[in-house]
């Protein structure tokens, strides 16, 4: 396994890309309202990225081995959709929860981040799932420091999710990121403390737990991309791109509209 350590020049470019990705989410937030279609959100984000930010939307035509080229510029995963939801003509309605996942390429480097949005007023269970998943992501991030291991991140996330009766999706994980969208290492959102790769300053990877209100199994839809929960339970996800620093970590995908690190609940 070859996990690259980014140079100071690369890190500076990743800071720029990360902030731009987060600013796309700031931009789109007020448009996430009952009646809007996910296609409309995709078009708005696409035009903002291309015309205003002068970045490349990394998902568009992205085709990893075994996949057809991704047809849109963002991913929109609604309710029981886990990840990689392909925007379409269906209107969002009050009570829906939607993950919007944005990846930009600026000056050849990637920034990758996602947030959950409430459409109108969320139900109590949907809100709880989104809040717990947010804290899962941050509990994982808060483990990051040179000398710690990837398993520390996974355990922190899994423990907190399962303590609420939720389950962690196994088939998708965080990933190294840089001049490539998906690099080594794989960052599992479950595991055992002290196991796996030892973290070193200069590594950059995402933490992006997908947490289901029901059981963990998932299935892929006929479009070849959209992932849904097998039991149709609600699913939530949040994502940040994070740099390992000498003393801990630096979250690269922050902007004025990004919600703050939460207080940790027991
Ligand atoms: N942004 C997703 C991630 O966090 C990947 C989406 S791949 C796409 O890794 F092609 F669906 F956009
Ligand atoms: Co990612
Ligand atoms: Co992403």
């Amino acid at each position: 396994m070859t996990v690259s350590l980014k140079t100071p020049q690369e890190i500076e470019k990743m800071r720029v890309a990360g902030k731009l990705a987060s600013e796309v989410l700031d931009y789109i937030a007020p448009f996430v309202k009952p009646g809007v279609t996910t296609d409309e959100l995709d078009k708005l984000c696409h035009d903002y990225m291309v015309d205003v930010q002068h970045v490349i939307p990394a998902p568009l035509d992205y085709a990893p081995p075994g996949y057809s080229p991704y047809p849109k510029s963002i991913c929109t995963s609604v309710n029981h959709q886990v990840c990689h939801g392909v925007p379409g003509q269906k209107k969002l309605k009050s009570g829906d929860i939607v993950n919007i996942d944005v990846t930009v390429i600026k000056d050849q480097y990637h920034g990758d981040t996602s947030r959950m949005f409430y459409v109108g007023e969320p139900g109590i269970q949907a809100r709880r799932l989104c809040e717990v998943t947010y804290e899962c992501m941050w509990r994982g991030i808060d483990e990051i420091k040179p000398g710690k291991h990837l398993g520390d991140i996974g355990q922190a996330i899994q423990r907190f999710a399962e303590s609420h009766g939720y389950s962690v999706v196994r088939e998708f994980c965080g990933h190294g990121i840089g001049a490539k969208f998906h690099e080594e290492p794989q960052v599992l959102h479950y595991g055992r403390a002290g196991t796996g790769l030892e973290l070193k300053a200069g590594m950059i990877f995402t933490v992006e737990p997908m947490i289901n209100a029901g059981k963990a199994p998932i299935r892929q839809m006929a479009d070849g991309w959209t992932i849904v929960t097998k039991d149709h339970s609600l699913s939530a996800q949040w994502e940040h791109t994070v740099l390992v620093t000498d003393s801990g970590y630096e979250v690269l995908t922050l902007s004025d509209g990004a919600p703050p690190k939460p207080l940790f609940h027991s």
Side-chain angles (χ1 to χ4, degrees):
M1 180 160 69
T2 45
V3 177
S4 74
L5 302 182
K6 268 66 178 177
T7 65
Q9 292 76 17
E10 288 180 297
I11 289 167
E12 193 44 44
K13 290 183 181 192
M14 293 292 288
R15 282 194 185 100
V16 172
K19 179 154 193 267
L20 286 163
S22 187
E23 285 173 346
V24 178
L25 294 173
D26 297 351
Y27 163 75
I28 202 63
F31 295 99
V32 185
K33 290 264 154 39
V36 75
T37 69
T38 47
D39 259 347
E40 288 164 347
L41 298 176
D42 175 71
K43 170 92 164 90
L44 285 162
C45 287
H46 174 94
D47 291 350
Y48 187 74
M49 288 188 265
V50 171
D51 299 335
V52 178
Q53 294 186 320
H54 306 294
V55 303
I56 298 168
L60 189 58
D61 292 325
Y62 183 61
Y67 286 83
S68 55
Y70 188 78
K72 302 285 177 171
S73 296
I74 59 171
C75 299
T76 53
S77 304
V78 183
N79 295 337
H80 71 292
Q81 297 179 348
V82 172
C83 64
H84 305 167
V86 179
Q89 296 184 61
K90 218 170 114 175
K91 287 179 158 71
L92 296 176
K93 58 180 194 309
S94 184
D96 285 347
I97 56 171
V98 56
N99 174 277
I100 301 182
D101 193 337
V102 167
T103 311
V104 308
I105 307 172
K106 180 68 170 183
D107 208 0
Q108 287 171 38
Y109 284 81
H110 291 72
D112 188 7
T113 185
S114 79
R115 299 180 200 158
M116 295 303 299
F117 295 87
Y118 303 135
V119 183
E121 273 306 305
I124 289 173
Q125 299 180 73
R127 180 188 292 272
R128 187 93 188 110
L129 176 67
C130 294
E131 288 175 356
V132 168
T133 303
Y134 188 60
E135 188 166 333
C136 282
M137 174 187 69
W138 271 104
R139 281 177 178 253
I141 291 171
D142 218 39
E143 293 293 322
I144 297 173
K145 193 179 171 169
K148 298 268 241 161
H149 294 255
L150 284 179
D152 298 325
I153 300 171
Q155 175 169 294
I157 292 168
Q158 182 180 12
R159 278 225 170 137
F160 193 65
E162 292 180 354
S163 77
H164 288 79
Y166 298 150
S167 50
V168 177
V169 171
R170 308 296 160 127
E171 290 84 348
F172 298 91
C173 54
H175 50 91
I177 182 168
K180 289 202 305 188
F181 195 162
H182 294 103
E183 303 180 350
E184 291 175 52
Q186 298 198 65
V187 181
L188 303 184
H189 303 116
Y190 59 91
R192 275 188 25 239
T195 67
L197 180 75
E198 185 179 326
L199 305 183
K200 292 194 164 51
M203 291 179 177
I204 298 182
F205 51 80
T206 70
V207 178
E208 50 179 301
M210 285 140 276
I211 306 297
N212 298 346
K215 294 186 174 20
I218 51 110
R219 57 151 44 95
Q220 192 180 69
M221 304 281 282
D223 64 16
W225 279 102
T226 306
I227 303 297
V228 297
T229 55
K230 228 176 192 172
D231 63 7
H232 278 77
S233 62
L234 286 179
S235 187
Q237 178 180 30
W238 294 80
E239 175 176 24
H240 272 314
T241 299
V242 186
L243 164 71
V244 185
T245 64
D246 290 322
S247 60
Y249 63 85
E250 177 183 336
V251 177
L252 301 178
T253 37
L254 292 174
S255 60
D256 290 345
K261 179 180 169 185
L263 298 170
F264 288 169
H265 304 91
S266 54

